[in-house]
């Protein structure tokens, strides 16, 4: 029975068509995740500066333009990452972290009200967003066998 399963798996890996990862598929660059990092820090950026919504809207437009032009060949990868359950866990985890952080700080009596505090919190949330999305992509590529374990993606 295990021989049959092995043959089926080997056939899927070697076959042309469904389920076969593109060997020339390259990971999204880390700088692309900076757009998502800015969106992860959007709440704090808006709290620190009322005009931040214009900058965030502009970054969103640039993100769409870059996705449709520069990263056009990697659109399938982007869609796959967005459908990935780990990516959704990262999203809900970051939202939960933000809510929990504000609840804990409020309970202790140290709410973030200054612009500097919101900028610092936004920087932390942005760095976490970029780091976690890059790590998620790296894990996905390793699982597919597209990135050797010794190289950085």
């Amino acid at each position: 029975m295990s021989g049959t399963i092995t043959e089926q798996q080997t056939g899927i890996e070697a076959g042309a068509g469904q389920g076969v990862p593109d060997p020339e598929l390259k990971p999204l660059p880390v700088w692309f995740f900076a757009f998502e990092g800015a969106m992860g820090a959007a709440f704090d950026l808006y709290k620190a500066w009322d005009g931040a919504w214009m900058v965030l809207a502009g970054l969103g437009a640039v993100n769409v333009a870059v996705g449709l032009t520069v990263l056009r060949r990697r659109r399938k990868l982007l869609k796959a990452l967005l459908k990935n359950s780990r990516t959704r866990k990262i999203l809900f985890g970051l939202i939960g972290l933000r809510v929990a952080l504000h609840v804990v700080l409020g309970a202790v009596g140290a709410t973030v009200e200054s612009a500097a505090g919101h900028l610092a919190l936004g920087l932390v949330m942005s760095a976490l967003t970029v780091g976690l999305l890059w790590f998620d992509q790296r894990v996905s590529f390793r699982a597919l066998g597209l990135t050797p374990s010794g190289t950085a993606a």
Side-chain angles (χ1 to χ4, degrees):
M1 183 165 173
S2 66
T4 305
I5 293 173
T6 306
E7 289 174 20
Q8 288 174 350
Q9 288 176 346
T10 306
I12 290 172
E13 290 175 5
Q18 299 170 296
V20 180
D22 185 5
E24 295 188 20
L25 189 65
K26 294 184 181 182
L28 293 168
V30 177
W31 60 262
F32 181 75
F33 295 125
F35 291 119
E36 280 69 28
M39 295 305 129
F43 176 78
D44 290 303
L45 292 175
Y46 180 73
K47 288 291 188 176
W49 175 44
D50 289 335
W53 71 270
M54 292 184 292
V55 174
L56 293 170
L59 281 175
V62 170
N63 186 12
V64 169
V66 167
L68 293 175
T69 56
V70 177
L71 299 176
R72 177 184 237 182
R73 293 175 32 160
R74 298 182 188 176
R75 195 175 303 165
K76 285 184 181 179
L77 173 63
L78 185 58
K79 286 181 184 178
L81 282 174
L82 291 175
K83 289 181 181 179
N84 187 350
S85 65
R86 279 190 314 270
T87 307
R88 286 191 300 267
K89 288 177 186 176
I90 289 170
L91 169 71
F92 293 125
L94 287 170
I95 292 170
L97 175 67
R98 173 173 302 287
V99 170
L101 183 63
H102 283 289
V103 167
V104 168
L105 287 174
V108 183
T111 59
V112 178
E113 295 178 0
S114 68
H118 280 292
L119 287 176
L121 190 56
L123 184 63
V124 168
M125 292 304 293
S126 180
L128 276 172
T129 302
V130 172
L132 288 172
L133 288 175
W134 172 81
F135 181 74
D136 179 35
Q137 175 182 251
R138 184 171 171 88
V139 167
S140 297
F141 267 70
R142 276 191 172 173
L144 292 172
L146 295 174
T147 303
S149 60
T151 63

